[in-house]
Amino acid sequence: MRIDSQLRALRSDMAPQRHAQVALEAARDSWAEGPAGAVLAELEGFGKAGSLDDYPALGALFAEEWRAAGLIGDLVDSLLPALQEHPLGQVPLRHQYKDGLTVLQLAQRGRAALTLITYEEMDQEQASACFTGGERYEAVLAGAADVRELELLSETEGKAAIDCRTRRVVAGEGMRCQGFAHTRQVTRVFGRLVVLRLSRTEERPPETRQYSLGDGRLLHRASGCRAESQREMATALLGRMGRKDAAPLLADLSREGSAHIRWQTLRECLALDAASGFAALWRIAADPEDELSAPAGALRAQLLEAHPQLAKIEEATCPA
């Protein structure tokens, strides 16, 4: 196998790698503390509270088309000299690439993030749409694309009415999505599309829902909270491992979090240990103020009909 001489040199001596990383981090910090200083200072505040109108430097990125391009131009001017000197260095910004989509996170402060996104040429109609909530403000820096804008009009019994329209965006234009009922999809890109995005998640992210665009059917739902998603995966893992010793903990956790994660926790608790799970189910069903009281009561009735012996657990749990 052929190994380039530069790579061979780096393998034999770690010092140049450290020097390259220090140089690139200094270049990033020079941009963040210099040309981008005012914007990133306001990103800190926007990540906590307020509307975009409260932050003039941040808002100008999406109100005056040259501002966003200037911000990215300053970043390139800071990083390129360091990359030319250290071509094998790692740019110290979070990034990812998948299926023609490149994402470079410039900064994150609290619930707000500033991201540079590139879409490669493509023409693809999507059969479904995800509604996730939050806010997104986008400035098109280069290229052109067809964008489908969707609005969730109503939801009933696992189906949704969705309004959609398609428009073409070009460099200098902006896009905006606010609230759970609005989202958008890039369906066709001419050449390449480059977008600067400002996003902010909600303090309590709503549940993510995916609907079929053909008939409005609900295809998938998931917690919008990263911590709850992690908890759901951990709970499911305990269930698959058969960890009955975790049932009392799951019973306690069935009182905490959103309705979705509480219900999932309760299901795993019931599967692991009928006594702990049914006692937790009874407590929820018996509380009229609990938003899960009705479904818990219905499940309780079904279980008692199928397994009458569970009534003994209820008798032992009831404070009367």
Side-chain angles (χ1 to χ4, degrees), residues 60-65 67-69 115-117 136-142 170-176 193-198:
L61 295 176
F62 307 93
E64 303 171 28
E65 59 181 81
R67 296 270 189 181
T115 309
L116 187 66
I117 302 173
R136 285 185 294 174
Y137 306 88
E138 296 171 312
V140 180
L141 304 182
V170 298
E173 294 187 1
M175 296 178 284
R176 168 180 303 205
L193 181 72
V194 182
V195 173
L196 178 67
R197 173 186 293 173
L198 170 66

Side-chain angles (χ1 to χ4, degrees), residues 23-89:
L24 285 164
E25 289 175 1
R28 176 204 58 194
D29 294 343
S30 175
W31 169 79
E33 295 167 6
V39 168
L40 298 186
E42 291 189 354
L43 185 68
E44 183 88 34
F46 184 70
K48 298 176 182 177
S51 70
L52 189 57
D53 293 337
D54 298 327
Y55 303 96
L58 199 57
L61 295 176
F62 307 93
E64 303 171 28
E65 59 181 81
W66 61 273
R67 296 270 189 181
L71 183 74
I72 301 306
D74 290 334
L75 176 63
V76 171
D77 289 342
S78 291
L79 288 176
L80 272 187
L83 275 174
Q84 288 172 338
E85 186 175 353
H86 306 282
L88 298 180

Side-chain angles (χ1 to χ4, degrees), residues 250-278:
L250 296 184
D252 290 338
L253 287 175
S254 68
R255 305 180 186 187
E256 302 175 9
S258 68
H260 171 79
I261 190 61
R262 290 177 59 212
W263 190 253
Q264 292 300 108
T265 303
L266 183 61
R267 289 178 58 191
E268 294 293 348
C269 184
L270 279 163
L272 283 172
D273 182 67
S276 297
F278 196 77

Side-chain angles (χ1 to χ4, degrees), residues 198-261:
L198 170 66
S199 60
R200 181 171 65 178
T201 59
E202 299 173 6
E203 287 191 66
R204 298 192 65 179
E207 181 182 75
T208 296
R209 299 192 190 99
Q210 180 182 9
Y211 292 98
S212 165
L213 292 176
D215 56 14
R217 287 181 300 113
L218 177 64
L219 301 176
H220 180 71
R221 61 198 305 172
S223 173
C225 175
R226 180 177 298 178
E228 285 200 350
S229 293
Q230 293 170 340
R231 173 176 149 186
E232 186 172 354
M233 288 188 288
T235 300
L237 179 60
L238 289 171
R240 302 300 84 77
M241 292 173 66
R243 290 290 301 271
K244 292 187 177 182
D245 58 316
L249 172 62
L250 296 184
D252 290 338
L253 287 175
S254 68
R255 305 180 186 187
E256 302 175 9
S258 68
H260 171 79
I261 190 61

